[in-house]
Amino acid sequence: MTSTSTRDLVSQPYKYGFVTDIETDKIEKGLSEEVVRLISSKKDEPEFLLNFRLKAFRHWLTLEEPDWAALGYEAIDYQNIIYYAAPKQQAKKASLDEVDPKLLETFEKLGIPLSEQKRLSNVAVDAVFDSVSIATTYREKLAEHGVVFCSFTEAVKDHPELIERYLGSVVSSNDNYFAALNSAVFSDGSFVFIPKGVECPMELSTYFRINSGDTGQFERTLIVAEEGASVSYLEGCTAPMFDTNQLHAAVVELVVLDDASIKYSTVQNWYAGDENGVGGIYNFVTKRGQCRGARSRISWTQVETGSAITWKYPSCVLQGADSVGEFYSVALTNNCQQADTGTKMIHIGPRTRSTIVSKGISAGRSSNSYRGLVQMGPRAKGARNYSQCDSMLIGDQAAANTYPYIRSQQPQAAIEHEASTCRISEDQLFYLQSRGIGFEEAVSMMVSGFCRDVFNQLPMEFAAEADKLLALKLEGSVG
Amino acid sequence: MIRPDAELLLDITDLHASVEDQPILKGVNLQVRSGEIHAVMGRNGSGKSTLSKVLAGHPAYRVTSGTVLYRGENLFELEAEERARLGVFLGFQYPVEIPGVSNLEFLRVATNARRLKRNLEELDTFDFEDHVQERLKVVQMDPAFLERSVNEGFSGGEKKRNEILQMALLEPVVAILDETDSGLDIDALRIVAGGVNQLANADNATLLITHYQRLLDEITPDYVHVMASGRILRTGGRELALELEQTGYDWVDKELAAQGVA
């Protein structure tokens, strides 16, 4: 009886599934060198950037789409995608008053108010709609501290030397199939620069919204923390419901110098498709951070609840001596969702440390895989890794897999790996129900208990949100 | 306490139930009125625990025939959580561990679900903490257990105290305590039994499911029922329990044989 009722925990109504009716400037479907040049010229880019794109595109043409992940999906037709779509509005908005009210309204509906009066206190937001950034809040206040937080396009104009120096320095344009594609056609994203010794005075956040039905979203995020600097950054994502699949292939690069730290949190809630697996976002993302300096630190926290397909391995290259990498992940799949996600911890410097805590929850007929690499290089003397990968199964038709890869060239490095799989048992559910707690609330209590270690890592403002989101994702008719 | 004006709380008529198509209950009849304490005794496999699970609504147990009215309402039309909100409580023989779920939060959500049904105001985190501190005294429980995950790493005795604490918070109308005495040393048994005694009043009823007389030294039942082969074979006063203590269950086999059931 319980297995039937858990099966009936169908996809929650996706409340961000609306479409904003707005005129857009689009480039015709299809991908060619011409399209790459057109994107670059539309954005009036300097030559180094055009060259970066062209090199990536030419390399991409020689690559094959990877098929090693435990994911199954129809081949993507790269000629049937729009690579650039921007809401039509005044070329450059001097202030929010000039932003199309429809866009402001869209973000308001998503719970991300951009207007001065209603802003989230102490969180600066960069709002990206389809291919372009439409507004960034609190810029002046951040500028007082020397912090740069703006759209990628603006960064290219205002800080070309930083972009040229750091772009592609962590994830090179020929890193992998999707990174090469992104490098060729990326349209916008966020740029963050925290100068030496500055502790960023507020949370920074980018909110990604896909609106058009046949548009791919290819954003690029670059965050640089100079010596002794620190920042906490959060990204959120939603998309309307379409019965076709949209491609999202982003690249995120983090650079941290001596004693600096970046905390990068993601709450991903792209449209996941319906209960039969029709529609939804294909999310192929390359995220990597480089701890270049001694004692530097990168912490990835992700709550992955959306997308039809998730292919994502936020990684840390631990170069500096005593640098620290962390990866905290909750991946929830339901219905026909598929996720293959994890991390890579590449230990290069001595005494580097990394922690991996991964919690996978599979419900419905979904499939959820953890794939992680821990690598100890020859110089990583005294390095340590601790990994913990837990899976929770809900119902009897979901799958959970763990693929831990361990490579060590350093005998004095320690690697610990723990894994567990549990199923929400009928007896646990009955125990809670026999105390007056409804079936759905019982499931949600147990799921959020399971994720506690990861949620504790989220910035406070978002931890409660994540809890609610998970409950919502599992909500449905109880049989 | 048997009283003439008592309310009929639980009315079980010819109840049959099975697990995985194996019939376990084969015609149970039992009436429980307010103010009463009943003890259901019997050997392992006699159907005692099944009776308690069926009453609480465990999904693995299937009712094949018979009726149970709870305060006049068909109990089997209510989901397990609804039964609990209406005042049916099952104290588990083996309380399950629920890692990651805070005991305090669990107790608060459960208490509020019941309070809502009784048209009482929900308690927020702060009010609930005061409320629960008060109730902890019933079972002399260390407040540190509130901070831990539900039953996780609790000893047998601590789990049972946690059950009675839940009973104290939910204030049930009918409390069914399944082998609450099992695995308890004598001190813990006294504490748990003391809790049950404190909570019993003229408006509620307690159904003690037990193997041994020793719990009944601490809690005095008004009725003792002996279960065998899925039915109540004999009903008496507390002297029946004392008799069992002396003679054991051998007579049960004879009686069953005589009835042609064994």
Side-chain angles (χ1 to χ4, degrees), chain A residues 427-428 430-431 433 435-436, chain B residues 58 81 85 90 163 166:
Chain A
D427 282 330
Q428 287 172 321
F430 175 62
Y431 188 74
Q433 283 177 276
R435 298 301 181 250
Chain B
H58 194 291
E81 60 266 33
R85 290 172 195 153
L90 172 63
E163 292 294 291
Q166 290 166 44

Side-chain angles (χ1 to χ4, degrees), chain A residues 1-2 426-428 430-439 441 445-446 448-450 452 479, chain B residues 56-59 80-81 84-85 89-90 92 96-98 100-101 106 109-110 113 151 163 166:
Chain A
M1 181 174 156
T2 305
E426 191 175 70
D427 282 330
Q428 287 172 321
F430 175 62
Y431 188 74
L432 295 176
Q433 283 177 276
S434 77
R435 298 301 181 250
I437 299 167
F439 182 84
E441 189 168 8
M445 270 174 105
M446 290 174 62
S448 68
F450 177 73
R452 184 75 47 227
Chain B
H58 194 291
E81 60 266 33
R85 290 172 195 153
F89 177 86
L90 172 63
F92 284 70
V96 293
E97 303 195 358
I98 307 182
V101 175
F106 157 68
V109 173
N151 294 326
E163 292 294 291
Q166 290 166 44

Side-chain angles (χ1 to χ4, degrees), chain A residues 56-67:
Chain A
F57 178 69
R58 287 168 195 151
H59 184 72
W60 180 74
L61 289 174
T62 69
L63 298 175
E64 299 241 345
E65 198 175 316
D67 60 359

Side-chain angles (χ1 to χ4, degrees), chain A residues 405-442:
Chain A
Y405 302 85
I406 293 171
R407 285 188 211 130
S408 182
Q409 296 166 281
Q410 168 52 253
Q412 291 184 47
I415 300 171
E416 266 182 85
H417 181 93
E418 282 180 32
S420 75
T421 303
C422 66
R423 186 184 287 281
I424 290 188
S425 77
E426 191 175 70
D427 282 330
Q428 287 172 321
L429 281 172
F430 175 62
Y431 188 74
L432 295 176
Q433 283 177 276
S434 77
R435 298 301 181 250
I437 299 167
F439 182 84
E440 285 173 9
E441 189 168 8

